Amino acid sequence: MENVFDYEDIQLIPAKCIVKSRSECDTSIQFGKHRFRLPVVPANMQTIIDEKIATFLAERDYFYVMHRFEPETRKDFIKSMREKNLIASISVGVKDEEYSFIEELADEKIVPDYITIDIAHGHSDAVIEMIQHIKKHLPDSFVIAGNVGTPEAVRELENAGADATKVGIGPGKVCITKVKTGFGTGGWQLAALRWCAKAATKPIIADGGIRTHGDIAKSIRFGASMVMIGSLFAGHEESPGTTVEHDGKLYKEYFGSASEYQKGEKKNVEGKKMYVEHKGALQDTLTEMEQDLQSSISYAGGKTLNAIRTVDYVVVKNSIFNGD
Ligand SMILES: NC(=O)C1=CN([C@@H]2O[C@H](COP(=O)(O)OP(=O)(O)OC[C@H]3O[C@@H](n4cnc5c(N)ncnc54)[C@H](OP(=O)(O)O)[C@@H]3O)[C@@H](O)[C@H]2O)C=CC1
Ligand SMILES: Nc1nc2c(ncn2[C@@H]2O[C@H](COP(=O)(O)O)[C@@H](O)[C@H]2O)c(=O)[nH]1
């Protein structure tokens, strides 16, 4: 594979500014049937999102994906979002009971707007069959399938009916897939994104490895429509998970969905737990992300996210050990 690089190896090159103020730059994105304020979605992990945060985000036109780790609550969750006239966006796995869950939703005419198939190794028959099952029973739901790390996987999931694919195997902050298995896109996630984007005919979500707001613009440049982020959203006042105090400082837990803390057992563990500094209010981070992205658009010489997609860039080999 030619030209392998990651976020910290790339600098985008500025183009002539066409706005008088960064506030003229529009960070919104059409994704499926809806338009969202930012091309950013908090990770569907139990220490990142819960029903309260999902409602907060949906009410303010941010995209969200609810996690799948309290499966019995999902039906009521969709109903309650519907009652509030908010988008319903859930996650599913691929085990047998998930097939009946999809059928139940269809029978009761409870139709989520977005369904994310959330599996570590998404290039599999299990995911292809689940895409086909959802499309058969809930054809109006927008299906996001993942996670994958190759163009071949993107093509196969798209051909199976996925409306978007999610790229990123192992670049996450609490991920240990790279060290436990030797596989993944950890350390070259941005190059993997570019590789996958060349094959994609539908939107791609870049998932994992985002360490700065500038990495969002870089993901857009290399083909992402949406960027999924865990660690930068961890540790807020609203974040689920316990808060601890250490040396007078407050921290919040952030653990992997394949960690023993999530699974409740040490079987096929590919995630770990860490503590992140308490960050304050979620809205402040979202606002800062929007302002930084407006600035990125202005450096790209445009007024919308599309301007970023065609900017020039340089590779400045500077890799730090991402993830793990
Ligand atoms: N983005 C990433 O890099 C990664 C993300 N995760 C996250 O961890 C959570 C748990 O993921 P996952 O274990 O897939 O979900 P599940 O525990 O729901 O398992 C999914 C199914 O796929 C089977 N399977 C076969 N091969 C694999 C494989 N290599 N990895 C995982 N499952 C496999 C599993 O069987 P069996 O368990 O018997 O093998 C199981 O039946 C998800 O939220 C996922 O997003 C986990 C690792 C990497
Ligand atoms: N290999 C693992 N990856 C995981 C696990 N739990 C979540 N994830 C992935 O990480 C991203 C978030 O990455 P970040 O760099 O923004 O923190 C998340 O969306 C998942 O794809 C895990 O246990 N193991």
Side-chain angles (χ1 to χ4, degrees):
M1 223 253 250
E2 27 78 69
N3 287 342
V4 174
F5 50 80
D6 212 343
Y7 288 100
E8 56 278 338
D9 304 319
I10 294 292
Q11 285 288 291
L12 304 178
I13 298 179
K16 188 177 179 189
C17 182
I18 61 160
V19 293
K20 283 198 171 140
S21 161
R22 282 167 278 217
S23 59
E24 290 171 44
C25 298
D26 177 8
T27 62
S28 70
I29 181 96
Q30 185 75 27
F31 190 69
K33 290 183 188 150
H34 300 268
R35 195 159 191 93
F36 299 101
R37 283 183 73 139
L38 279 177
V40 166
V41 59
N44 48 347
M45 298 166 73
Q46 208 166 10
T47 48
I48 299 297
I49 187 148
D50 58 12
E51 183 163 350
K52 218 168 145 193
I53 295 179
T55 305
F56 173 92
L57 293 169
E59 280 174 347
R60 289 158 182 78
D61 294 327
Y62 295 108
F63 185 44
Y64 79 89
V65 179
M66 187 61 184
H67 66 73
R68 64 176 168 93
F69 302 110
E70 286 156 20
E72 67 291 350
T73 64
R74 288 179 298 187
K75 211 192 280 182
D76 284 343
F77 171 76
I78 302 166
K79 283 193 209 160
S80 101
M81 297 304 271
R82 282 267 164 272
E83 275 159 24
K84 292 179 266 188
N85 213 14
L86 298 173
I87 63 150
S89 172
I90 61 158
S91 302
V92 297
V94 292
K95 292 185 179 161
D96 289 348
E97 56 273 22
E98 298 292 67
Y99 280 81
S100 4
F101 172 60
I102 295 296
E103 285 163 34
E104 262 174 57
L105 292 182
D107 290 346
E108 296 176 40
K109 300 198 170 19
I110 303 171
V111 183
D113 299 282
Y114 297 85
I115 302 179
T116 297
I117 306 172
D118 171 37
I119 295 298
H121 189 4
H123 191 186
S124 65
D125 286 337
V127 168
I128 288 169
E129 280 157 28
M130 181 51 86
I131 294 169
Q132 289 164 342
H133 188 71
I134 298 173
K135 282 294 171 190
K136 179 175 169 200
H137 292 277
L138 297 168
D140 291 334
S141 293
F142 184 98
V143 176
I144 299 164
N147 275 23
V148 298
T150 63
E152 187 191 0
V154 168
R155 269 187 227 109
E156 275 201 55
L157 300 193
E158 284 188 353
N159 289 342
D163 298 297
T165 52
K166 193 143 69 73
V167 170
I169 304 214
K173 186 94 173 174
V174 285
C175 169
I176 52 171
T177 297
K178 187 167 69 181
V179 287
K180 292 270 277 183
T181 71
F183 281 82
T185 59
W188 62 290
Q189 166 71 1
L190 193 59
L193 171 65
R194 181 175 74 159
W195 195 33
C196 289
K198 282 184 178 166
T201 60
K202 297 176 183 177
I204 283 189
I205 302 183
D207 180 12
I210 301 292
R211 300 289 171 263
T212 67
H213 294 180
D215 293 346
I216 300 168
K218 292 177 190 178
S219 303
I220 304 282
R221 170 61 185 84
F222 287 92
S225 294
M226 189 63 79
V227 184
M228 181 170 264
I229 304 179
S231 58
L232 293 186
F233 280 114
H236 287 92
E237 269 161 28
E238 300 89 340
S239 305
T242 50
T243 303
V244 294
E245 196 184 324
H246 184 67
D247 286 342
K249 264 190 165 174
L250 291 180
Y251 297 85
K252 269 191 139 166
E253 63 177 357
Y254 173 44
F255 55 73
S257 304
S259 68
E260 58 180 293
Y261 309 96
Q262 182 71 66
K263 292 180 167 219
E265 61 175 341
K266 280 192 178 175
K267 184 169 176 279
N268 295 127
V269 164
E270 288 185 26
K272 64 183 180 184
K273 172 153 90 171
M274 62 183 288
Y275 287 91
V276 297
E277 269 187 41
H278 200 285
K279 292 197 184 101
L282 178 59
Q283 183 61 67
D284 292 346
T285 296
L286 290 164
T287 302
E288 191 182 333
M289 265 180 193
E290 183 169 340
Q291 288 171 356
D292 289 344
L293 201 48
Q294 284 179 313
S295 206
S296 300
I297 293 170
S298 81
Y299 281 114
K303 287 185 175 181
T304 66
L305 289 173
N306 273 340
I308 297 175
R309 297 189 195 285
T310 49
V311 287
D312 287 333
Y313 64 89
V314 283
V315 182
V316 188
K317 266 289 169 195
N318 204 12
S319 274
I320 55 165
F321 198 50
N322 223 348
D324 302 334

